[in-house]
């Protein structure tokens, strides 16, 4: 009887440990503010995806997003409002993308959307939909404050022989071009 009791305690402890391990794994993969994938988790997932694509090529596109004129939100309203904007924007982005797409907070006010099995023309449609949805959306914040946002987006498709760094560099270059040439637009490279 004593042995059965100890065995049950051991089984229970193991189950609790497995639950805690899953929770810790989940927490290490998510951005604590937006609950989107964090950069480290996305990079790990991308490495797996690129390995699969090297075996059998399928189109893959990146959309890098930067909120236009985000600094004045923090400066004028405070960082807690800036954080609220990031949380709400993350929800809008998740609402527009497909279930198979990956959305992550890339850093600061930058987000990235990974579009597997998506050709550039289809990715462009989705990215333009993101731009239009965010521009039309009124972000309602605490204390009856509202904010309108626009974003700049860079888009690039994985080419034969590319690695993640190649694709990220091109996508970042496209984003920089969108910001430099007036913001609130999509540039594809």
């Amino acid at each position: 009887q004593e042995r059965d009791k100890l065995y049950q305690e051991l089984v229970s402890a193991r189950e609790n440990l497995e639950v805690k391990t899953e929770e810790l794994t989940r927490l290490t993969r998510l951005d604590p503010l937006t609950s989107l994938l964090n950069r480290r988790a996305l990079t790990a997932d991308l490495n797996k995806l690129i390995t699969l694509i090297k075996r059998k090529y399928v189109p893959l596109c990146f959309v890098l997003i930067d909120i236009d004129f985000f600094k004045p939100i923090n400066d004028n309203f405070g960082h807690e409002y800036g954080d609220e904007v990031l949380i709400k924007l993350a929800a809008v982005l998740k609402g527009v993308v497909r279930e198979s797409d990956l959305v992550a907070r890339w850093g600061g006010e930058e987000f990235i959307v990974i579009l597997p099995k998506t050709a550039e023309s289809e990715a462009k449609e989705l990215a333009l939909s993101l731009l239009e949805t965010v521009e039309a959306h009124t972000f309602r914040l605490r204390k009856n404050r509202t904010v309108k946002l626009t974003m700049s987006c860079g888009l690039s498709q994985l080419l034969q022989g590319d690695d993640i760094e190649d694709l990220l560099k091109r996508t970042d270059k496209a984003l920089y071009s969108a910001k430099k040439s007036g913001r609130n637009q999509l540039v594809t490279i």
Side-chain angles (χ1 to χ4, degrees):
Q1 206 173 21
E2 185 67 26
R3 186 174 45 185
D4 287 345
K5 182 180 174 188
L6 287 172
Y7 179 75
Q8 288 304 319
E9 288 176 5
L10 183 61
V11 168
S12 177
R14 182 177 176 188
E15 288 172 355
N16 285 338
L17 186 59
E18 287 174 356
V19 167
K20 295 292 183 190
T21 300
E22 285 177 19
E23 178 66 13
L24 278 173
T25 300
R26 189 182 70 75
L27 289 173
T28 61
R29 291 181 51 78
L30 298 180
D31 174 63
L33 182 65
T34 63
S35 295
L36 295 175
L37 287 174
N38 62 32
R39 190 173 185 147
R40 181 175 1 128
L42 182 73
T43 302
D45 290 355
L46 278 174
N47 283 325
K48 292 176 192 170
L49 189 59
I50 294 292
T51 300
L52 291 173
I53 288 173
K54 283 183 179 178
R55 288 187 213 150
K56 182 177 184 219
Y57 179 80
V58 294
L60 172 75
C61 289
F62 283 11
V63 179
L64 192 55
I65 298 166
D66 188 70
I67 301 172
D68 295 329
F69 307 110
F70 184 72
K71 188 176 180 330
I73 293 170
N74 282 334
D75 291 348
N76 295 328
F77 300 127
H79 288 279
E80 64 277 1
Y81 285 99
D83 288 350
E84 195 174 346
V85 167
L86 294 173
I87 292 165
K88 290 179 182 283
L89 176 60
V92 170
L93 296 175
K94 284 292 281 184
V96 174
V97 300
R98 304 162 305 187
E99 198 172 311
S100 61
D101 301 332
L102 300 173
V103 182
R105 183 166 177 211
W106 197 239
E109 67 271 11
E110 285 189 342
F111 298 85
I112 191 165
V113 180
I114 309 303
L115 306 167
K117 297 183 181 177
T118 307
E120 187 177 291
S121 59
E122 187 180 357
K124 191 172 183 175
E125 286 179 35
L126 192 125
L128 289 171
S129 177
L130 286 170
L131 281 171
E132 291 167 5
T133 301
V134 168
E135 186 177 20
H137 190 82
T138 299
F139 292 85
R140 302 197 184 289
L141 309 176
R142 290 173 284 138
K143 297 183 182 177
N144 296 321
R145 293 191 183 204
T146 59
V147 173
K148 297 291 280 179
L149 296 178
T150 61
M151 309 181 306
S152 297
C153 298
L155 185 151
S156 192
Q157 182 174 335
L158 183 71
L159 303 174
Q160 291 281 358
D162 271 351
D163 61 20
I164 293 172
E165 289 304 314
D166 297 327
L167 184 53
L168 280 171
K169 284 178 186 173
R170 274 198 318 278
T171 310
D172 192 52
K173 186 176 178 181
L175 172 62
Y176 179 76
S177 181
K179 298 217 56 87
K180 189 176 178 183
S181 58
R183 303 177 196 264
N184 191 28
Q185 60 185 296
L186 170 68
V187 170
T188 303
I189 293 180

